[in-house]
Amino acid sequence: MTSTFPNISISTERLVLRPLDEDDIPALAEMMNDEQVAAWTDVPQPYTEDRARRWITEYAPTQRTTGRGLDLAVTEFLTQRLVGIVQLGKTNWHIRSTELSYVIAPWARGEGYASEAALATAQWLFGDQKFERIELRTAADNTASQQVAQKIGCISEGVLRNACIAHVRTEDGTWTDMRTDFIVWSLLPEDLDGVGEELADTGGFTSFSDWN
């Protein structure tokens, strides 16, 4: 029988991670149309509100109920404003392993939200869900995302050469593909020992490889 993630919320000092709902549609679409998100992820551009609605009402629920993953909105505790997304995917329930990705809205970068959300998710996975491994993949030139991985205690395991497709603007304003390397990071329960609660970062967007 396939295992599934529960429909949960995770709270930190500043954030609430919760299931996406339809009130998030405008903010989600705006966030996904950001230049840096377009550069480092496979988000279709332009990203419409209709696509955001399908993600929230169809894709995310299916991912959870089939046991493949979990999509969580990252919101400010005080304002309830959407600051980002945390996504779990490629989940293997036999070995208790999953891949963690995150996107942070442009206006919210530099506040430590990516690290705080990723660390809270990891603590929940290792504690409540008894997972044994979390994997992250960052594009070779995506230093902001690599800093997040390092600050939550991830260990770099190696490079997947030419395995990532990033995107760059052309002279006519359109996007074109650019091949680059993936850096593979892992996080095990013991890696969280000594990771401080106060973390700062410059941004946060790992390369999502599976999109609705």
Side-chain angles (χ1 to χ4, degrees):
M1 181 178 178
T2 301
S3 297
T4 60
F5 290 109
N7 220 355
I8 52 89
S9 293
I10 303 169
S11 296
T12 71
E13 182 177 349
R14 300 183 299 166
L15 302 173
V16 176
L17 284 66
R18 57 159 176 79
L20 288 157
D21 62 45
E22 293 191 55
D23 289 341
D24 297 319
I25 289 172
L28 179 61
E30 180 181 2
M31 179 172 62
M32 292 301 173
N33 279 308
D34 173 64
E35 289 278 315
Q36 292 297 313
V37 174
W40 297 117
T41 76
D42 285 331
V43 177
Q45 297 294 325
Y47 196 85
T48 65
E49 289 196 3
D50 283 343
R51 190 177 292 275
R53 181 176 291 103
R54 289 196 299 272
W55 181 5
I56 291 170
T57 62
E58 300 175 17
Y59 179 80
T62 299
Q63 285 290 98
R64 189 184 72 81
T65 57
T66 57
R68 291 195 293 264
L70 183 68
D71 300 72
L72 294 173
V74 181
T75 63
E76 286 183 322
F77 177 77
L78 292 178
T79 67
Q80 299 184 31
R81 188 176 181 185
L82 183 72
V83 303
I85 298 292
V86 165
Q87 186 179 62
L88 303 177
K90 301 179 181 177
T91 305
N92 186 319
W93 291 95
H94 178 64
I95 63 172
R96 311 298 287 191
S97 173
T98 192
E99 184 175 321
L100 172 68
S101 304
Y102 40 80
V103 167
I104 298 296
W107 64 268
R109 293 175 193 151
E111 299 294 330
Y113 287 151
S115 297
E116 189 171 332
L119 179 60
T121 304
Q123 291 170 331
W124 172 74
L125 283 167
F126 292 147
D128 292 0
Q129 299 298 298
K130 308 304 179 187
F131 269 59
E132 296 294 337
R133 174 182 169 87
I134 298 171
E135 185 173 303
L136 289 80
R137 298 187 180 195
T138 63
D141 294 328
N142 190 347
T143 56
S145 189
Q146 292 162 26
Q147 289 171 4
V148 174
Q150 291 172 329
K151 286 172 182 176
I152 66 171
C154 292
I155 303 299
S156 175
E157 291 187 331
V159 176
L160 299 178
R161 297 186 301 160
N162 220 25
C164 174
I165 296 180
H167 310 93
V168 294
R169 284 281 194 187
T170 60
E171 291 183 358
D172 63 4
T174 59
W175 292 96
T176 187
D177 292 351
M178 176 186 70
R179 298 199 72 93
T180 185
D181 298 338
F182 259 142
I183 299 176
V184 179
W185 306 80
S186 68
L187 190 67
L188 306 183
E190 57 266 30
D191 297 330
L192 293 184
D193 294 341
V195 176
E197 294 182 0
E198 295 298 325
L199 297 169
D201 59 76
T202 57
F205 24 85
T206 54
S207 296
F208 284 63
S209 57
D210 186 16
W211 286 91
N212 56 334

